[in-house]
Amino acid sequence: DVAPAMEVAPMAAAAAVDPANMYHILLCDDDPIASCSIEEMIYQIELSMQQLGVSVAIKLQCAASGKDACVQLTKTIFDLVILDIDLPDVTGFDIAHWYLKRSNAEHARAPARHHVRSPSTLVALTALELNDAVKVELNQLFSEVLPKPLSIMMLRAVLQRWLPRALMESNRQGEPSAPGTMPSEPPRVVRILQVEDCEIAGMAIEHLFKSVGCWVETVHDGESAMEKLTHSYRGSHTEYDLVLVDVNLPTVSGYALSSWYADMCRQQALRRAPVIAVTAEPDLAACRAFGVDRCLPKPVTIEAVNELMLQWRALHCKG
């Protein structure tokens, strides 16, 4: 018995992006070639996600000097700030010190119960060989330190780790209903098993799915997932509604885990929960071959999560 299939295919054409759910990134690098390269990589990431039907938009603003970056940081709220630490005028260290001090002062001045948005996530970019003392200082100021030149895979990973937090702060699902409207019946809670070896990425994805009412349990390797899935059945039905699998797991890959799960369910006549591959490089042919029902491209966004859950509920909550 197999749960209704969620086809491995690109989604329908992506809907227009709500401006409130747009990612804002500031890149500060005095090397114009490096800036152009990162700008092109972000465009390629957007394009690959849109080809899968995921509505996502990243607005990148570039600053060629530390002074320019400071000016932009006073005018715009950014979700992510990427700073070259070796700038010729105001260094990335100086910008980070100034920005965090300014943000802390804003929080201190805010009235009680008044929401002040968290500071932007700061990521350092450097081509320098760093000694231990510099590394310690960097780790106190920045969420992450990246080596130059930056590859597209590294950039995808950074977006996956740090951008979902930004959208969660603007998530309006918890807002009360308009006056005079009846609250809708709460949807059934969807139970999800997530298999993700990166703890930060796992927490970000878990946060996104919990924000739309899902229950999420996370394990960090294929062996733990096998144990969870094996003991998840009551009769022929599993307690999980969806299984999210990172393709690039250590020891047992996401593809191998999906193939094993399909074989186990087939041999024991069990109902298989749909398997969703979470990957920066979706390969639809490989997904079909290994029993994956759907691809969820990295970086995972709230738009993609909403679209996935709408499709799941349409298949499983009829009537």
Side-chain angles (χ1 to χ4, degrees):
D1 190 8
V2 180
M6 300 181 71
E7 294 184 359
V8 178
M11 295 183 193
V17 177
D18 183 345
N21 286 339
M22 181 179 289
Y23 297 130
H24 294 266
I25 300 176
L26 174 64
L27 169 65
C28 183
D29 195 325
D30 62 320
D31 181 351
I33 296 177
S35 295
C36 288
S37 175
I38 293 175
E39 189 170 4
E40 173 63 21
M41 286 189 285
I42 287 179
Y43 170 75
Q44 293 297 332
I45 290 171
E46 279 188 289
L47 187 62
S48 65
M49 295 182 72
Q50 288 167 3
Q51 287 172 345
L52 288 168
V54 178
S55 174
V56 62
I58 300 173
K59 184 175 182 180
L60 177 68
Q61 291 179 228
C62 295
S65 69
K67 291 180 180 178
D68 187 16
C70 291
V71 170
Q72 294 199 45
L73 283 167
T74 60
K75 294 180 177 180
T76 306
I77 296 175
F78 293 96
D79 301 305
L80 182 67
V81 179
I82 303 174
L83 295 172
D84 185 350
I85 64 170
D86 191 33
L87 295 168
D89 55 347
V90 181
T91 70
F93 283 110
D94 294 334
I95 297 171
H97 275 293
W98 165 80
Y99 176 71
L100 293 175
K101 183 178 179 179
R102 177 175 176 270
S103 298
N104 289 336
E106 288 180 352
H107 277 263
R109 290 195 303 267
R113 299 184 181 179
H114 178 71
H115 174 71
V116 178
R117 181 167 176 148
S118 299
S120 305
T121 298
L122 303 182
V123 173
L125 195 61
T126 180
L128 303 175
E129 290 292 333
L130 306 175
N131 59 41
D132 290 341
V134 174
K135 289 179 181 178
V136 169
E137 185 177 3
L138 279 172
N139 290 331
Q140 291 174 344
L141 295 172
F142 294 91
S143 298
E144 189 166 355
V145 180
L146 300 175
K148 296 176 73 173
L150 190 63
S151 71
I152 191 168
M153 291 300 293
M154 292 168 62
L155 185 57
R156 283 184 188 272
V158 169
L159 300 185
Q160 174 62 57
R161 280 191 286 273
W162 303 116
L163 282 187
R165 149 202 176 279
L167 284 187
M168 291 319 306
E169 293 191 355
S170 63
N171 186 344
R172 299 191 179 96
Q173 291 198 354
E175 292 184 358
S177 301
T181 61
M182 294 294 293
S184 58
E185 183 180 347
R188 180 170 82 81
V189 174
V190 179
R191 298 176 64 87
I192 297 174
L193 175 65
Q194 177 185 208
V195 193
E196 170 61 68
D197 63 310
C198 176
E199 184 175 353
I200 295 175
M203 290 173 62
I205 295 172
E206 184 173 319
H207 195 176
L208 289 173
F209 277 92
K210 284 183 175 179
S211 76
V212 296
C214 298
W215 177 92
V216 183
E217 181 177 9
T218 300
V219 295
H220 301 294
D221 55 67
E223 293 90 340
S224 299
M226 288 178 173
E227 182 177 358
K228 289 287 185 182
L229 290 168
T230 299
H231 295 94
S232 70
Y233 281 85
R234 303 294 181 268
S236 62
H237 287 70
T238 177
E239 65 184 58
Y240 299 116
D241 298 304
L242 288 173
V243 181
L244 300 178
V245 179
D246 181 14
V247 169
N248 298 313
L249 294 170
T251 63
V252 178
S253 73
Y255 288 135
L257 174 62
S258 178
S259 181
W260 166 86
Y261 181 46
D263 288 342
M264 182 191 78
C265 291
R266 185 165 49 251
Q267 293 170 8
Q268 301 181 31
L270 300 173
R271 186 177 180 86
R272 183 179 65 86
V275 176
I276 312 298
V278 183
T279 173
E281 299 292 340
D283 184 335
L284 302 183
C287 285
R288 292 190 183 95
F290 288 99
V292 173
D293 297 279
R294 176 70 175 276
C295 289
L296 191 61
K298 289 185 175 182
V300 179
T301 67
I302 191 64
E303 294 91 351
V305 169
N306 277 325
E307 179 70 20
L308 178 67
M309 298 320 302
L310 283 172
Q311 292 189 359
W312 187 92
R313 293 186 194 282
L315 287 170
H316 295 79
C317 299
K318 296 176 180 178

